[in-house]
């Protein structure tokens, strides 16, 4: 029996009550927040505001309990074995920087190889440049097939070069394509590599079980999963987290400090220097607790239905170059109006209250390979409606007519 009610789901978001005119299809950039999240953040500041892990006073102890409960909730949400495997950080970018920096000189040595794919977000390219390539690590890139999928034959071949680390996105933020992440993790592990999954778009798409997936690291940003901006998670296997050199030093992450040296704290604190975004973390846990009240598989089916309708409508609009495939797609469609700049298309859609993103979506190397200036991205969430699909298709038709008149 289906229990997912899209009207009830959308009704949880104050934004749509206040702004009924907006067709918001920029969910891959950031999602709207349900009332449960806004209230959790608000409640913390109004009733419990205090620093964590510090004060002897009851208020600080209460804030610490809420903060550490959030860690338990998130560990349970992804089925992590131990709570210390959940490192709070500001998002996927911070987590990937911590991993690249932290592995350098402990696990990675000059001359070692790191393997990524051709469709990575800058957040899974630049940290490797910044922290590893400039110390002599070689970055190899798995190319794409003609239909913009990660070339699995080339992946297997590049694994023969014995990369120490294989780092790739679960879902492409540009194309929406879902990688065969479990198979790729197993192949990489068989080749002896440490696996890093950029789950910024992936965790939104399907239920994550980190023990079943067995990747060494999995990272995401809360703001793409109904939570606040400025918070996110670095999940890792304990033995590897212990080997990461902390990217930040300061309060909380130490057990002893002398002017001559410092000793680091135990996990998770050794990788969480300074005052964290306490309210943000509490909001992040409120988001996943709220989400679990719904059937995640049914949410996925509903989104797939919207996507099918959208693709079907696109096939009726002439003059489009559609880059995304409808197969194994997490709800992102990227396209161009032939001969037109994506920024112009996005602007015309915005004038009709359809929010999409035009540009290179933080994936410049991918667009260089495609020899495109950019593309227009429509990204769907479960609070979108069939009416949103119809309105956005109508708006796109109008935009094409204006641009090609
Ligand atoms: N990886 C992917 C696949 C993304 O889509 C994004 C956000 N666009 C990031 C990493 C970076 O996330 P954030 O900016 O929240 O750190």
């Amino acid at each position: 029996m289906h229990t997912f009610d899209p009207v009830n789901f959308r009704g949880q978001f104050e934004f749509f009550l206040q702004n009924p005119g907006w067709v918001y299809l920029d969910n891959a950039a950031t999602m709207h927040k349900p009332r449960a999240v806004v209230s959790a953040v608000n409640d913390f500041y109004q009733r419990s505001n205090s620093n964590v892990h510090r004060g002897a006073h009851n208020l600080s102890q209460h804030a610490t309990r809420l903060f550490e409960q959030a860690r338990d909730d998130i560990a349970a949400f992804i089925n992590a074995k131990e709570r210390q495997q959940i490192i709070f950080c500001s998002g996927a970018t911070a987590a990937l920087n911590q991993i690249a920096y932290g592995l350098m000189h402990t696990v990675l040595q000059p001359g070692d190889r790191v393997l990524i794919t051709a469709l990575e977000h800058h957040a899974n390219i630049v940290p490797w440049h910044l922290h590893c390539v400039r110390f002599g690590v070689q970055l190899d890139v798995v190319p794409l097939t003609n239909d913009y999928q990660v070339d699995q034959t080339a992946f297997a071949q590049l694994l023969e070069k014995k990369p120490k680390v294989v780092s790739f996105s679960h879902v492409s933020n540009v194309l929406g394509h879902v990688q065969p992440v479990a198979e790729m993790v197993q192949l990489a592990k068989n080749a002896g590599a440490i696996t890093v999954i950029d789950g910024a778009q992936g965790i939104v798409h399907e239920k994550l079980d980190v023990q079943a997936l067995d990747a060494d690291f999995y990272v995401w940003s809360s703001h793409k999963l109904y939570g606040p901006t400025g918070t996110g998670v670095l999940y890792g296997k304990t033995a590897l987290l212990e080997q990461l050199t902390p990217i930040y030093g300061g309060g909380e992450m130490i057990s002893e400090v002398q002017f001559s040296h410092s000793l680091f704290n135990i996990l998770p604190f050794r990788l969480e220097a300074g005052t964290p975004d306490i309210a943000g973390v509490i909001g992040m846990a409120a988001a996943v607790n709220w989400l679990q009240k719904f059937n995640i598989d049914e949410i996925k089916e509903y989104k797939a239905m919207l996507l099918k309708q959208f693709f079907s409508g696109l096939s009726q609009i002439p003059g489009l170059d559609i880059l995304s495939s409808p197969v194994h797609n997490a709800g992102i469609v990227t396209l161009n109006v032939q001969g037109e700049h994506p920024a112009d298309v996005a602007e015309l859609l915005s004038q009709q209250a359809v929010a999409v993103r035009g540009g290179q979506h933080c994936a410049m190397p991918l667009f260089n390979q495609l020899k495109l200036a950019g593309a227009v991205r429509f990204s769907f969430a479960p609070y979108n409606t069939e009416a949103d699909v119809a309105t956005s298709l109508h708006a796109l038709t109008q935009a094409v007519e204006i641009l090609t008149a």
Side-chain angles (χ1 to χ4, degrees):
M1 191 190 66
H2 275 231
T3 53
F4 179 65
D5 172 1
V7 176
N8 168 40
F9 191 84
R10 186 176 170 91
Q12 312 266 323
F13 294 79
E14 192 63 23
F15 176 86
F16 295 112
L17 267 184
Q18 303 290 337
N19 304 278
W22 268 108
V23 174
Y24 186 81
L25 297 177
D26 197 17
N27 294 291
T30 200
M31 276 187 138
H32 286 287
K33 325 299 172 199
R35 266 180 227 98
V37 170
V38 178
S39 307
V41 172
N42 206 27
D43 280 0
F44 173 75
Y45 284 126
Q46 286 186 352
R47 296 182 200 179
S48 314
N49 182 51
S50 195
N51 213 327
V52 289
H53 305 135
R54 286 165 171 78
H57 57 84
N58 283 346
L59 208 50
S60 171
Q61 285 172 12
H62 177 62
T64 304
R65 271 196 301 276
L66 293 177
F67 185 78
E68 290 303 328
Q69 180 62 47
R71 200 183 307 274
D72 288 334
D73 292 349
I74 286 162
F77 178 62
I78 62 168
N79 192 30
K81 210 165 170 184
E82 298 168 312
R83 65 191 311 281
Q84 68 192 21
Q85 294 178 279
I86 306 298
I87 308 297
F88 293 132
C89 60
S90 67
T93 301
L96 290 163
N97 274 277
Q98 169 63 81
I99 294 168
Y101 177 89
L103 291 175
M104 194 63 217
H105 301 302
T106 50
V107 169
L108 283 166
Q109 302 296 329
D112 286 342
R113 310 182 92 94
V114 170
L115 183 59
I116 61 170
T117 83
L119 45 68
E120 297 310 314
H121 187 281
H122 294 162
N124 193 24
I125 304 173
V126 186
W128 301 109
H129 290 161
L130 203 58
H131 306 305
C132 306
V133 172
R134 72 189 181 107
F135 294 107
V137 168
Q138 158 102 39
L139 195 60
D140 293 321
V141 183
V142 187
L144 301 186
T145 57
N146 290 339
D147 52 355
Y148 312 138
Q149 305 290 341
V150 172
D151 186 333
Q152 296 297 327
T153 311
F155 179 58
Q157 282 162 359
L158 283 160
L159 286 177
E160 286 169 16
K161 297 191 176 188
K162 296 283 169 220
K164 277 258 177 75
V165 176
V166 174
S167 185
F168 61 95
S169 48
H170 183 162
V171 168
S172 156
N173 68 304
V174 177
L175 300 158
H177 298 170
V178 185
Q179 306 310 318
V181 68
E183 290 86 337
M184 287 173 76
V185 164
Q186 275 321 306
L187 285 172
K189 288 178 90 73
N190 294 345
I194 291 170
T195 47
V196 181
I197 311 300
D198 172 357
Q201 305 290 342
I203 195 155
V204 194
H205 175 58
E206 55 201 351
K207 184 98 188 81
L208 173 66
D209 179 334
V210 283
Q211 292 191 62
L213 181 62
D214 205 26
D216 294 306
F217 295 105
Y218 193 103
V219 308
W220 76 91
S221 299
S222 171
H223 69 95
K224 294 181 201 279
L225 190 66
Y226 308 100
T229 50
T231 54
V233 172
L234 188 180
Y235 157 85
K237 297 254 179 85
T238 300
L240 278 163
L241 287 174
E242 274 164 351
Q243 285 184 66
L244 291 185
T245 308
I247 193 165
Y248 292 122
E252 280 294 296
M253 53 77 71
I254 42 76
S255 61
E256 182 191 314
V257 181
Q258 305 290 341
F259 283 121
S260 54
H261 69 277
S262 37
L263 298 180
F264 299 151
N265 204 342
I266 54 166
L267 288 174
F269 311 110
R270 76 189 283 277
L271 297 171
E272 292 181 356
T275 300
D277 183 346
I278 305 165
V281 163
I282 290 167
M284 166 159 64
V288 302
N289 291 339
W290 165 84
L291 182 61
Q292 287 174 101
K293 294 191 179 135
F294 301 90
N295 180 323
I296 293 181
D297 290 332
E298 285 180 19
I299 286 183
K300 203 172 151 186
E301 271 174 43
Y302 174 72
K303 227 169 76 170
M305 185 270 291
L306 294 181
L307 196 72
K308 196 167 165 209
Q309 285 184 7
F310 189 66
F311 267 109
S312 149
L314 288 180
S315 66
Q316 308 300 312
I317 304 175
L320 299 180
D321 280 333
I322 302 170
L323 307 180
S324 299
S325 159
V327 183
H328 299 307
N329 187 312
I332 298 176
V333 183
T334 299
L335 55 83
N336 272 310
V337 176
Q338 279 159 15
E340 305 300 335
H341 199 282
D344 295 337
V345 180
E347 172 57 28
L348 283 170
L349 290 171
S350 174
Q351 284 172 16
Q352 299 173 79
V354 176
V356 296
R357 184 168 167 196
Q360 297 198 331
H361 314 285
C362 296
M364 205 183 278
L366 172 62
F367 280 95
N368 287 345
Q369 284 176 77
L370 302 179
K371 300 197 172 42
L372 290 172
V376 185
R377 181 178 72 183
F378 298 74
S379 49
F380 289 85
Y383 46 61
N384 289 125
T385 61
E386 295 184 57
D388 287 349
V389 173
T391 308
S392 57
L393 287 166
H394 177 72
L396 183 60
T397 309
Q398 299 277 100
V400 173
E401 278 172 17
I402 292 168
L403 288 165
T404 54

